[in-house]
């Protein structure tokens, strides 16, 4: 699977993958990625801090994004910060199903206590995760200002900014988000939705992981 075909929430799900992929912190990170992507596409706009659908009809042809868009449309208005956590597992579950269909994950069915059906998702494409993490670390640590690196996409910039805000161990071995503050600001500025992304990053930095 080429990296360019990965949606922002799928990219974040793989960046965060470790021995506890079902952790709620991962769900929050994936949800923030989906919100960012809908904002980038102009389908969610900001109205006085409220995540607001641009219209009631547009779709993306991506099941994960369209599912979240429908949820926002059918719910009462909420701030971006609230949407990072509200029913976040709905989005992360949908991303795992999408990645399973694409071959990045493998679904293993089991029974809890020998009775209740359950599914574990196992990483199938370790090479994709390794490559994503290498690229993300390079983007975070490289010397040139982001504005001078023409090949950095908005999706890559947003993914790294959100991952750092969440304190993702794969990128922050020492957990020191403050050390990368200036770099993250550069990345946020590259995305075209800097105000919204800043709010989402702030939310991720304060919710439990």
């Amino acid at each position: 699977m080429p990296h360019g075909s990965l949606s922002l929430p799928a990219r974040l799900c793989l960046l965060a993958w470790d021995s506890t992929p079902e952790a709620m912190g991962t769900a929050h990170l994936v949800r923030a990625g989906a919100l960012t992507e809908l904002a980038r596409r102009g389908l969610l706009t900001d109205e006085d801090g409220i995540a607001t659908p641009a219209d009631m009809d547009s779709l993306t042809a991506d099941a994960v994004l369209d599912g979240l868009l429908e949820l926002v449309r059918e719910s009462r208005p909420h701030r971006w910060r609230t949407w990072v956590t509200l029913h976040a597992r709905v989005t992360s579950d949908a991303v795992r199903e999408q990645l399973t269909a694409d071959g990045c994950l493998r679904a293993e069915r089991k029974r809890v206590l020998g009775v209740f059906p359950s599914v574990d998702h196992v990483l199938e494409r370790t090479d994709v995760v390794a490559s994503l993490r290498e690229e993300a670390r390079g983007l975070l640590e490289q010397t040139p200002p982001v504005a001078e690196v023409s090949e950095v996409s908005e999706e890559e910039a947003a993914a790294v900014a959100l991952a750092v805000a969440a304190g993702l161990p794969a990128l922050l071995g020492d957990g020191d988000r403050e050390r990368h503050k200036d770099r993250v600001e550069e990345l946020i500025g590259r995305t075209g939705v800097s105000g919204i992304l800043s709010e989402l990053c702030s939310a991720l930095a304060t919710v439990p992981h």
Side-chain angles (χ1 to χ4, degrees):
M1 166 183 282
H3 299 171
S5 67
L6 289 171
S7 69
L8 180 53
R11 183 184 294 263
L12 288 165
C13 183
L14 292 176
L15 278 173
W17 200 271
D18 58 18
S19 60
T20 55
E22 316 295 333
M24 181 56 80
T26 299
H28 296 157
L29 177 59
V30 170
R31 168 58 69 77
L35 291 166
T36 301
E37 185 58 27
L38 287 172
R40 285 187 59 251
R41 298 188 184 200
L43 296 173
L44 283 182
T45 61
D46 183 84
E47 292 190 8
D48 296 325
I50 303 295
T52 306
D55 60 60
M56 299 304 289
D57 300 310
S58 297
L59 295 173
T60 68
D62 181 301
V64 173
L65 298 178
D66 289 341
L68 176 54
L69 193 56
E70 181 179 3
L71 180 62
V72 175
R73 285 169 175 163
E74 292 180 351
S75 302
R76 66 184 181 85
H78 291 293
R79 293 188 171 276
W80 297 95
R81 179 177 296 271
T82 300
W83 278 119
V84 168
T85 58
L86 186 64
H87 307 306
R89 283 199 185 276
V90 172
T91 300
S92 62
D93 286 349
V95 169
R96 286 197 299 273
E97 291 178 10
Q98 191 179 68
L99 287 170
T100 300
D102 289 340
C104 275
L105 305 180
R106 182 178 72 255
E108 293 187 348
R109 303 188 182 282
K110 63 178 184 178
R111 289 188 178 274
V112 178
L113 302 177
V115 178
F116 305 104
S118 180
V119 177
D120 279 344
H121 289 86
V122 179
L123 182 62
E124 190 78 3
R125 294 293 305 275
T126 56
D127 59 319
V128 172
V129 172
S131 182
L132 283 171
R133 288 178 177 176
E134 182 180 0
E135 291 173 2
R137 292 189 196 104
L139 181 55
L140 185 61
E141 300 285 357
Q142 66 187 1
T143 303
V146 172
E148 296 179 8
V149 185
S150 60
E151 65 270 20
V152 176
S153 70
E154 292 184 3
E155 292 90 342
E156 290 173 311
V160 174
L162 289 166
V164 172
L168 201 65
L171 266 65
L172 298 177
D174 59 3
D176 187 3
R177 288 183 292 224
E178 188 65 25
R179 181 167 69 88
H180 300 287
K181 181 178 179 180
D182 292 342
R183 187 64 166 186
V184 168
E185 288 299 321
E186 291 181 24
L187 292 167
I188 289 174
R190 185 65 172 259
T191 64
V193 287
S194 58
I196 291 170
L197 185 53
S198 292
E199 177 67 15
L200 294 172
C201 286
S202 176
L204 282 174
T206 56
V207 296
H209 297 297

